[in-house]
Structure formats: C-alpha cells, structure tokens
Amino acid sequence: MKDGAPAVRHDVSLVSAEHLRLFNEGSHFRLWEMLGSHVVDPGEGSGTCFAVWAPSADRVEVIGDFNGWSSGRHPLIRRGSSGVWEGFVPGVGPGESYKYGIVHRIRGGRRVVEKADPLARFAEEPPRTASVVYRDEYRWGDDEWMSGRSAKNALDAPISIYEVHLGSWQRPPAAAPGFLSYREVAPRLADYVSRTGFTHVELLPVMEHPFYGSWGYQVTGYFAPSSRYGRPEDLKYLIDLLHGRGIGVILDWVPSHFPTDEHALGLFDGTHLYEHADRRLGFHPDWNSFIFDYGRTEIRSFLVSSALYWLEEYHADGLRVDAVASMLYRDYSREDGEWVPNERGGRENLEAEDLLRRLNQEAYRRLPDILTIAEESTAWPLVSHPVEVGGLGFGLKWDMGWMHDVLDYVSRDPSHRRYHHSDLTFRQLYAFSENFVLPFSHDEVVHGKGSLWQRMTGDGSRKAANLRLLFGCMYAEPGKKLVFMGGEFGQQREWDHESSLDWHLLADPAHEGIRRWVADLNRLYRSEAALHELDCESEGFEWVAPDDHMQSVISFLRRPRDGREAFLVVCNFSQERRADYRVGVPWGGPWVERLNSDASRYGGTGSGSLGRVASEAEPFHGRPYSLTLTLPPLAVVFLHARDRDHG
C-alpha cells in the first residue's frame, strides 16, 4: 500500500456541523467520537477517518505506515473556521501507526512538525511516539457491578482504596525484564486486594506518558492507555476482572499540566494552542511542563471529554484529579512578579474554577454513580460541595493536612509526643467541612522521605507496633481511606518505581502481621456501619477524651446513623502499658473487644483487656458509665457495644 496509497477522500466524514459548533463553544464532551482516527466502512471498502484540531496550521497531512511516512500524499482539508482538519484514507485499518504533519509559519518561513494525535486511543510503546489506529471490539462482562455500583461509591459506603503503580507493584522475574502486562497483573492484583480487604484500587496514571520516571504524571495521551502494559482492551480486561471480584477502580487523571515533548500537545500548530500563551500562566515551574489554557472553550471540550472517556469507555468508577491546588491558584509555586492577577485582582484562577465545576457537573449528571476525588492541599472552600451551593462539585477531597500532621506525630520519639498532642486532635476542628479521604499516598514515600516503616521510631518490633497503631487510628477516624502499595505490609525501603515491592517481607511474621492487621481493619470497617456510614457527617464521631496529652492517649466513639450501637476506640501512642485506664462510656453492660493491634496474630505482645470489659455505673468523662481498660503500649483497641434500652 505504501507505493500505491489511495488518495484522501473528503466525501466521508464523522464530523458534523453541530459537532463543530459544540466543540468550538466548549460543550462537546464526547470529543473522542469526532476527532482522532476512526475505522469506518462507507460501503466502498473500509478505511480510516482522521480529524484533528489545528486552527493556525497552513497545511495538515497524515503520515504513517500506509504511505511510508512520506509527505504530501494524504493532506487533510479544513472544516470552515472551526480549526478542524479532516479526511478519509481508504484501506487504512487497525494497528497502523501515524502522525500528523503540521505545516505552520515561523518568522516569515515555514516549519513542518510531526505530532501524535491528541485524540488517539492507542499509541506506540515508548520510546516510540506515533499514534496507532485502533478499533474497539472489547465486550464487557461487568453488568452486575455497573448496575449496583452506586451503593459502592456512596458517601455512606465503606471506601478503602489501595493505590497502585502498575509498573512497580510486581515485576517479572529478573530473567524476564520489563513489566507485567495488564492481563498478567489482573488476577494477581484481584486476588491480593480481595485477600487484604480493600474496596477499591486506584491506579497511578495509566494514560500514555513518554517518561516512565514521571509515574504517569507527564501525560501525552489523554485518550490512550499506556502501551507499556498492553493494548486498550487489556486495560479493560483488568478493570473488568476487578469489577467481577467486587472491587472498584479509580483512575488518576492529570489536567493540571502536560510535558513539553516535541511530538505532544505543546505548540501543536505552531501557536500556544493547548497551553496558555503567557508563560506566567502557561508554564509550570516545578514540573517544567505546560499548563492548559483553561479559559479556551475548545480546551474545555478536550479536558472534560478526556475525563468522561475514561469513565464511560473504560468503566472507571472514579477519577482522582491530580494537583488541583496548582490549577486553582495563579501564584502557585511562583514568586511576586511571576504571576498575573485575575480580572478581579486576585490570585484565584477563575478559568480553572469554571473548568472543574463544569467537569464535575457533567460527570455526575451523566454518571451519578461515580466518584470524583480532588487532591487539593489548601483550604479552598467547598471543594467537595455541589456547584449549586458555590462548591467545586467533587465527591471527595484528600485530607492532606491530616496526613502531614499524623505522620509528623508518629515520626517523633514516644517520649516527646505529649508535646505535640494537637497533631492528633486538630483535624476534628475541620473534619466535616469536606467529604474527606485520609491518604497515605505515594508522595509520602519518595524523595528521601523514607517508607512508612522507616518513619516509625524504635527497633523492628516498635516500628511494627507504631505502624499498626497508625493504620488503626486512620481506620477508626471518620473519612474514607487510602493506602499506597507496600505500606500495608511495612515495605522497608522507600518506593522505587524501577523495581518491584519487596514481597519477600511477607515471610517475616512482623510484616505479615501488619498486612493481616490491615486486612482485619478493612473487614471491620466494611462490615460495621458505625465505622463508615457517617464518615462525612459529624453525628458519627464523638470525643471521649481528646486531651490526655500527658499519657499520649486519645479516645472517641464512632456511631451509625441510628445511634443504637457504638465503637469505643482508644489509641495509646506511648510506650507504656497502661493498666486500670478509665474511660467514660454512654451505656452499661459488656463492651466487646473487636480488634486489638497488640494481639499476637499481628505480631504484638498479646496484652489487653482479655476480649470483654464490663462497664461500671461510675460516671466518667461526662458519661454515666465507665470502663477500666488495660492499654497495650503503642496500640489501638476497638470495643463495641449496643444500647440495650433500644435493642
């Protein structure tokens, strides 16, 4: 076909005038159906329709396998003033690689650049950079999951997320370098997540990215899964299999910036098309990457379409939106003079605000049973509140402040913790201002911070006890949960994306004990309404004793909506075993110990209150009854009781 490649036909099109109108006004949110490459059969032999947005180009053509990558053989034509170029190439089918040759003016002359397709649904495996014609023929088998997932993603549901980087969760044996494919990792990941009890998996960005060391956060393919791990249908198989095992899938999505690679979005048609033209708004100083022009209507169509594409075409149950704070503030990571105030004279990025609101409105309008989650690190108001009341419309927001406070606290020697007790208790001043996720994420185990294990104090047994206590406190507090891979079994070294997790550690009882503890926490959290139903409502939490800083102990109650039962959670952050520790409780009768992080099955000493404690009619902590407990050192205990007066 290279020598006798048919000419481009312009009588076959997937792009209607209405499509173009919606795209240009910023309201076309299924852009993958119009732009990109699409295999069609117009009745006279199949071929591929190509369409790309390049309004300032002088000429656009398709080059690829089918024409020997030679110029001038397959030019596209403009569609009016829309900025879209299109054409149909007969005989081109799935699997053929291509790029767009874009001719534009530069300093009185002309320049030709070769660009990957921004709407490509598949790409060559890096370091190659061409797009690949793709036809979707995957048949989903997750109808049961999809029809019932609303209950799995609700704010009153238990949501416990396992954050995974696919390239380093597990690797093939050393004799077979490379990565596990989507299909290879699918049963292993499903088995492990089921065994450890998480409700959802969150994948670090699987959208195509040329630099593996970016962990996926330097995206070039906003509609293409990374071919490092296989084909698009292989990623769908992974998600399908997880759904079949009752596990939700959240995808990390990055609208905050994109890389400067020559083949990608930057200076796409010779102008600042996707990125803002003003460097003070269009270039990210931390990541040396471009920032989208959020005020441009076509960019709104592009980004909202990308988000909906992963939700609709890949059946993702949610999107975790990366670096939202960097989008919301024009002065983010910039000194005075390096940023431009908005039209009101403020530092807020009003265009990014509008984009995020529109994204969430469209996502929840079309798919009300999904989740959008903001990684937002500031006190921006109403991030997880509806747009109708002035919010950004996200379903959940990461609680970054809690994460930093509690990690700072547990990194201190237990003898010094009494002086920093507010790090444990401050969160409850704002805990219900947003719908929070409590995250121990990948960002906390890189760049010299050390693993969670390394940040714990003491020898190996104390590190293990501290880590079990840390996880127990997290699961007991109101908020959804997130744990980055390896943390759940006490990965000893800092995360390295170039190697597998240290799975051999599970042969050590201390590390298997941590994993078993997390699994039991997940099971209790999932099975008991008191621990998840009111994660985002203040009625579900009540301090018992937040102020025992001298003994480094906190205690609180968690309740379900009907209030007829409760969990008493007592956390001892000191190294001392505390006998005869009195705690006030609301009801008489027995309180049953449901979990104790110092139990021998987790690698602890087996200390505690012997599984059941009878309450005494002795008022304490402002309550009519009290318990006398034995608190193990560096441990958390969960005790459960029902209000006998109400059954």
Side-chain angles (χ1 to χ4, degrees):
M1 183 176 173
K2 295 178 183 177
D3 294 332
V8 179
R9 289 172 53 184
H10 301 296
D11 60 331
V12 179
S13 174
L14 297 179
V15 181
S16 69
E18 178 66 5
H19 283 154
L20 295 173
R21 182 188 69 80
L22 292 172
F23 171 54
N24 290 140
E25 75 173 22
S27 300
H28 196 310
F29 298 137
R30 297 181 64 84
L31 208 55
W32 67 92
E33 296 179 344
M34 177 182 92
L35 299 181
S37 59
H38 297 270
V39 179
V40 297
D41 186 351
E44 302 170 15
S46 66
T48 297
C49 287
F50 295 93
V52 63
W53 180 51
S56 294
D58 282 353
R59 188 176 79 245
V60 178
E61 60 186 0
V62 186
I63 56 176
D65 292 340
F66 45 87
N67 60 21
W69 296 91
S70 58
S71 178
R73 304 181 69 176
H74 290 101
L76 305 182
I77 63 168
R78 292 181 186 269
R79 287 296 306 269
S81 60
S82 67
V84 171
W85 299 70
E86 69 163 343
F88 172 76
V89 182
V92 173
E96 299 212 47
S97 298
Y98 70 97
K99 285 185 177 179
Y100 295 113
I102 298 178
V103 181
H104 61 85
R105 298 185 185 278
I106 180 171
R107 289 189 286 274
R110 286 188 171 190
R111 184 187 179 205
V112 181
V113 294
E114 296 182 1
K115 292 288 190 178
D117 189 342
L119 271 292
R121 291 171 292 162
F122 190 32
E124 292 183 318
E125 184 175 351
R128 294 177 296 171
T129 59
S131 302
V132 178
V133 176
Y134 177 72
R135 177 163 53 193
D136 182 15
E137 296 180 332
Y138 188 78
R139 297 294 177 260
W140 288 91
D142 62 349
D143 289 351
E144 182 178 353
W145 169 268
M146 295 295 284
S147 64
R149 72 174 177 179
S150 177
K152 308 289 188 181
N153 290 336
L155 290 180
D156 61 358
I159 296 177
S160 174
I161 303 166
Y162 187 53
E163 189 186 32
V164 172
H165 177 252
L166 277 180
S168 58
W169 182 69
Q170 285 187 4
R171 287 281 186 96
F179 306 106
L180 294 177
S181 70
Y182 295 118
R183 286 184 181 266
E184 289 171 329
V185 82
R188 304 182 191 200
L189 185 60
D191 287 346
Y192 183 76
V193 171
S194 295
R195 185 162 65 98
T196 311
F198 292 96
T199 65
H200 292 68
V201 166
E202 180 180 313
L203 300 178
L204 268 63
V206 293
M207 298 79 190
E208 194 58 82
H209 51 284
F211 177 44
Y212 172 70
S214 75
W215 314 331
Y217 290 98
Q218 295 279 2
V219 176
T220 54
Y222 277 82
F223 294 79
S226 178
S227 54
R228 288 177 181 84
Y229 314 116
R231 297 173 56 81
E233 61 265 29
D234 299 328
L235 174 58
K236 292 180 179 181
Y237 173 84
L238 167 60
I239 295 171
D240 209 353
L241 182 65
L242 289 168
H243 283 171
R245 298 289 293 274
I247 301 164
V249 180
I250 297 164
L251 299 181
D252 218 333
W253 183 66
V254 190
S256 50
H257 65 114
F258 61 91
T260 60
D261 295 63
E262 180 74 15
H263 72 282
L265 298 178
L267 295 169
F268 189 80
D269 63 353
T271 68
H272 296 285
L273 185 62
Y274 286 86
E275 69 273 18
H276 202 288
D278 189 326
R279 188 176 176 87
R280 295 170 295 175
L281 292 169
F283 191 80
H284 202 297
D286 286 350
W287 302 317
N288 293 316
S289 53
F290 289 126
I291 300 172
F292 286 103
D293 183 352
Y294 299 117
R296 188 160 192 167
T297 53
E298 292 89 351
I299 299 303
R300 183 171 65 203
S301 288
F302 177 82
L303 286 175
V304 175
S305 289
S306 172
L308 292 176
Y309 177 75
W310 299 101
L311 293 168
E312 294 187 15
E313 297 295 315
Y314 281 81
H315 289 200
D317 302 292
L319 296 176
R320 179 266 194 185
V321 183
D322 181 62
V324 170
S326 76
M327 299 173 66
L328 290 173
Y329 297 97
R330 289 176 171 231
D331 64 343
Y332 184 90
S333 199
R334 298 178 187 272
E335 303 294 332
D336 290 345
E338 296 178 346
W339 60 281
V340 183
N342 63 34
E343 61 189 27
R344 304 171 188 168
R347 65 191 185 112
E348 299 83 4
N349 191 325
L350 303 178
E351 295 82 6
E353 267 190 83
D354 289 342
L355 171 75
L356 293 170
R357 289 192 172 108
R358 189 64 182 272
L359 161 68
N360 285 311
Q361 282 180 311
E362 290 298 324
Y364 280 107
R365 181 176 69 82
R366 296 164 187 255
L367 300 161
D369 55 354
I370 54 92
L371 282 170
T372 61
I373 305 170
E375 186 217 8
E376 203 287 310
S377 55
T378 75
W380 187 282
L382 305 178
V383 171
S384 58
H385 291 249
V387 172
E388 293 74 20
V389 300
L392 292 182
F394 285 95
L396 295 165
K397 170 184 169 173
W398 277 19
D399 191 344
M400 311 285 278
W402 169 84
M403 177 182 69
H404 293 307
D405 285 348
V406 73
L407 287 177
D408 284 347
Y409 179 84
V410 297
S411 298
R412 301 180 187 277
D413 186 277
S415 63
H416 298 156
R417 289 174 179 172
R418 67 180 62 181
Y419 306 112
H420 304 275
H421 196 72
S422 63
D423 286 347
L424 289 179
T425 60
F426 177 74
R427 176 180 187 258
Q428 296 309 321
L429 296 178
Y430 67 85
F432 305 102
S433 62
E434 301 279 4
N435 303 323
F436 279 120
V437 176
L438 306 182
F440 290 138
S441 75
H442 65 279
D443 279 329
E444 300 313 304
V445 293
V446 289
H447 302 320
K449 296 176 184 176
S451 65
L452 292 182
W453 174 273
Q454 289 172 315
R455 293 169 78 161
M456 302 299 106
T457 61
D459 60 14
S461 62
R462 287 186 176 178
K463 285 181 181 293
N466 269 301
L467 191 50
R468 295 193 304 268
L469 170 57
L470 177 65
F471 283 132
C473 186
M474 176 179 77
Y475 274 83
E477 284 207 36
K480 308 311 179 185
K481 328 298 178 187
L482 180 141
V483 179
F484 182 59
M485 63 182 199
E488 81 285 358
F489 64 77
Q491 169 88 3
Q492 290 187 352
R493 61 186 174 90
E494 188 173 271
W495 173 49
D496 176 11
H497 61 269
E498 294 288 1
S499 61
S500 172
L501 295 180
D502 292 334
W503 293 102
H504 65 273
L505 291 174
L506 288 174
D508 181 333
H511 292 276
E512 169 58 19
I514 296 169
R515 190 210 61 80
R516 188 178 292 135
W517 169 245
V518 171
D520 285 353
L521 284 170
N522 272 323
R523 292 185 181 99
L524 189 70
Y525 172 65
R526 295 174 68 162
S527 65
E528 295 292 342
L531 294 176
H532 66 251
E533 191 176 47
L534 297 177
D535 266 339
C536 302
E537 299 178 46
S538 60
E539 292 80 5
F541 177 89
E542 185 179 337
W543 278 120
V544 175
D547 54 357
D548 190 1
H549 64 280
M550 290 303 296
Q551 299 190 83
S552 298
V553 176
I554 57 172
S555 53
F556 52 87
L557 295 168
R558 292 296 308 276
R559 300 177 188 260
R561 194 173 302 281
D562 64 16
R564 295 182 179 180
E565 59 182 304
F567 273 85
L568 171 68
V569 181
V570 187
C571 303
N572 178 14
F573 286 91
S574 78
Q575 294 180 153
E576 306 301 322
R577 177 178 180 272
R578 303 203 179 279
D580 301 324
Y581 189 89
R582 187 169 292 277
V583 183
V585 290
W587 307 311
W591 285 72
V592 178
E593 185 179 86
R594 296 288 298 275
L595 284 180
N596 177 346
S597 67
D598 195 51
S600 56
R601 74 180 253 101
Y602 309 124
T605 67
S607 177
S609 301
L610 302 178
R612 179 184 292 259
V613 184
S615 63
E616 304 170 50
E618 181 175 337
F620 203 69
H621 290 141
R623 289 166 177 79
Y625 300 91
S626 58
L627 307 177
T628 301
L629 305 175
T630 296
L631 301 183
L634 299 174
V636 53
V637 293
F638 291 70
L639 296 110
H640 177 255
R642 299 183 183 277
D643 181 357
R644 293 182 300 171
D645 292 339
H646 294 89

